[in-house]
Amino acid sequence: MEWANDGKSKGGVLAHLERLEIQVNRSHKNLEDPQRAQAVEHALRTKIHKLRCLRDELRSKVKRRQARVRASIANEEPDQTQEISEQEVAERRRRQENVKAILQAYRFTGLSGKLTSRGVCVCISTAFEGNLLDSYFIDLVLQKPLWIHHHSIPIFIPLEEISAKYLQTNIQRFLFCLCEYLNAYAGRKYQADRLQSDFAAYLARPLQRNPLCNLLSFTYKVKLRGQLFLFCARLLYKDLTTTLPTDVTITYPETDALPPSWEEQRASHENLFFTKPLHQVFTSFARKGEKLDVTRV
Amino acid sequence: MDETVAEFFKRTILKIPMTEMMTILKAWDFLSEKQLQNVNFQQRKESLVQDLVLLCEKKRASVHDAALLDIVYTQFHRHRKVWDVFQMSKGPGEDIDLFDMEQFKSSFKKILQRALKNVMVSFRDAEENAVWIRIAWGTQYRKPNQYKPVYVVYYSQTPYAFTSSCPLRSNIPLLGQALTVASNHHKIVKMDLRSRYLDSLKAIVFKQYNQTFETYNSTTPLQEKSLELDIHMDSRIIHENRIEKERVQRVTQETFGDYSQPRLEFAQYKLETKFKSDFNGDILAERKEPLRCLIKFSSPHLLEALKSLAPAGIADAPLSPLLTCIPNKGMNYFKIKDK
């Protein structure tokens, strides 16, 4: 490589020649001082001898140890050693699965998360009356200011409002507030779904509902003493953090006035819708109906 | 049946491709299964159409039923229209939105009918709490023109509505007003977003285009980066700029994600900026007024095309934020001025 560049190579050769010259001068100096040179030589020879002895000692040590290990392995049964390592592996795998299961089970607390490369992905799992419902995700980027990368929250939940209020100042409040809204929505949706699926027989017309399930309108059949009446119910949920309505109006669609005993029924139904979840009200209607049939017989 | 109505039926049914005829008629739900079974679908289209129109006549179908069939056809062929996006907003401190679909429909219709003498409004409920509205405009002396309707798709309890391009520009403010008032909003603004792909527009404004989330419950393993596979494919090929390729792949993945991009056909940039040049004494650089020009990027799938620019080596990564901000900002029309 020194020959590659002409300018440099000349310098390289000349420098090399200089070095050789210096070496020769040095060796001449040593010849002038034979005793000193001999002493140095002798010291170096002893050093070499010592190092060689040490090397041989270490080599023999290693050989002995290897022999011991081989002997101990040969003494023990080969199956046992394999089993132990298999056991260890199985144990480790079980522990890993356990930890994984615990992390997955955090979902049941309603609010869980996983760290991501840029922040955290929060999972809000909704539930109502002990039933686990849908889960919603928010991917947060932990920067100043904090921002939402993407999410799966329905468009009609006021996420922008809630983030404007709390995201930068109090992230705990932000998450709890969001949990409130989502759980309430999930609860209202659950009640509406239950009414549509389990009590369709009681509805004279299909249930009218909106995306937030905060306005429910339905006409249902009421039977008493062999007479069938239709009541129109209109439930408004003005508080989006609750699963019970704030306004209940039950009207009698017919033009003639309602008989007084029925007026009582109507008022009591209104009260029922205020205090109990929708599907539970209809369950109680069903039970009352059964009781009446039983008494007839 | 009125001749114009019969003609309307004929032309609407003629639009439907033979392969979709049964599906669309079933979705329309006006002719019963039995009646459809008695029709010969193997004959030539013209005779089939005649048979169907006769059947509709027998069942006393009205112009409203024909309008509903038109809505069904448009729902199946939504990309034949170009959709604009409107965003509504509520006034400060307004009450909770207690949306009532029946109230919305009647209010919307009333507002239009009060303002215009001859207008026909039809509604069809769709999935995900959306309602498709078809509006046929008339004038004071002419009945509604059924062949140039406007479609509005409104997602209830959201501030967004999508409209097909309106041939009569003068009716747009009225349409906006009807939507705003009927849905209990205060203001309406047209967004700088337009595409044929209604579902992509919805994904963009609802911010639903990225639905992959990291959880402990996901069973799908992380996708192997495609670049790594390429490198290990053939050991005889040495990638000289592997590090740069990996960087480009990483930057692209950070910007565009692993999800499929919403579909847009174009992005348009209207520039009103002063010309910037490296050469001194360039004639254009001496102009004091801003240079006006329009740059339009077109593609069958614009965002996927932009995503593949850097990995293909055509552009540097990261791409200009003017290109990458499209889904995030919900815009594909830009006006760029000097600051």
Side-chain angles (χ1 to χ4, degrees), chain A residues 103-104 107 113-116 121 137 150-152 155-156 208 210-212 214-215 234 236-238 240, chain B residues 96-100 102-103 129 156-160 205-207 210-217:
Chain A
L103 286 171
Q104 287 180 359
R107 203 162 61 95
K114 178 169 192 255
L115 288 176
T116 64
C121 182
F137 298 91
H150 61 287
H151 62 83
S152 68
I155 184 90
F156 40 79
Q208 277 172 50
N210 62 12
L212 264 171
N214 69 346
L215 192 153
R234 198 174 159 87
L236 302 175
Y237 300 75
K238 286 192 183 150
L240 289 179
Chain B
I96 300 288
D97 186 3
L98 292 156
F99 182 81
D100 185 337
E102 297 310 313
Q103 221 171 54
N129 304 300
S156 48
Q157 281 186 320
T158 77
Y160 298 103
V205 293
F206 289 9
K207 300 213 181 291
N210 183 359
Q211 294 293 290
T212 50
F213 299 96
E214 284 188 51
T215 67
Y216 292 113
N217 297 324

Side-chain angles (χ1 to χ4, degrees), chain B residues 317-328:
Chain B
L319 287 176
S320 159
L322 282 171
L323 293 169
T324 56
C325 71
I326 293 172
N328 213 0

